[in-house]
Amino acid sequence: MTLVYVLDDDPTELTLWQFAAQDSNGDVQVHTFLTPMDFRIACLQRQPDVAIIDAIMPVETGYDVCKWIRSCCPNVKMVINTAMEAEHYQVMAEMLG
């Protein structure tokens, strides 16, 4: 079973990602988090296979969370979600893996 964690400060976005990440066979388990702290605690308890992370959040950026994931869970695949179109956002995400 694939474990997916979704971090976003917008509950509507969490619902959309949860729906998109689930599969019809039930082979994907999705957990959603509104805060980076709850996300980090969950990662320390059980490392996900995939993390979908909002780039822009009020307390801590998704890029900061990605740096943390790379330091403690280097095998986690990450997807950065952002509405920002500037190229430097894409470059930052690529640099973080």
Side-chain angles (χ1 to χ4, degrees), residues 20-61:
Q22 290 177 347
D23 70 350
S24 60
N25 296 329
D27 293 336
V28 178
Q29 185 177 22
V30 181
H31 295 271
T32 59
F33 304 92
L34 284 167
T35 69
M37 180 62 73
D38 290 339
F39 177 87
R40 288 175 193 246
I41 291 168
C43 283
L44 291 173
Q45 291 174 348
R46 184 170 175 209
Q47 182 175 313
D49 298 297
V50 178
I52 302 170
I53 302 166
D54 182 17
I56 308 299
M57 294 180 284
V59 176
E60 181 178 13
T61 71

Side-chain angles (χ1 to χ4, degrees), residues 48-80:
D49 298 297
V50 178
I52 302 170
I53 302 166
D54 182 17
I56 308 299
M57 294 180 284
V59 176
E60 181 178 13
T61 71
Y63 300 107
D64 294 330
V65 175
C66 288
K67 289 177 193 174
W68 177 82
I69 290 172
R70 279 292 164 249
S71 70
C72 71
C73 309
N75 296 323
V76 173
K77 295 171 183 69
M78 293 185 287
V79 175
I80 303 290

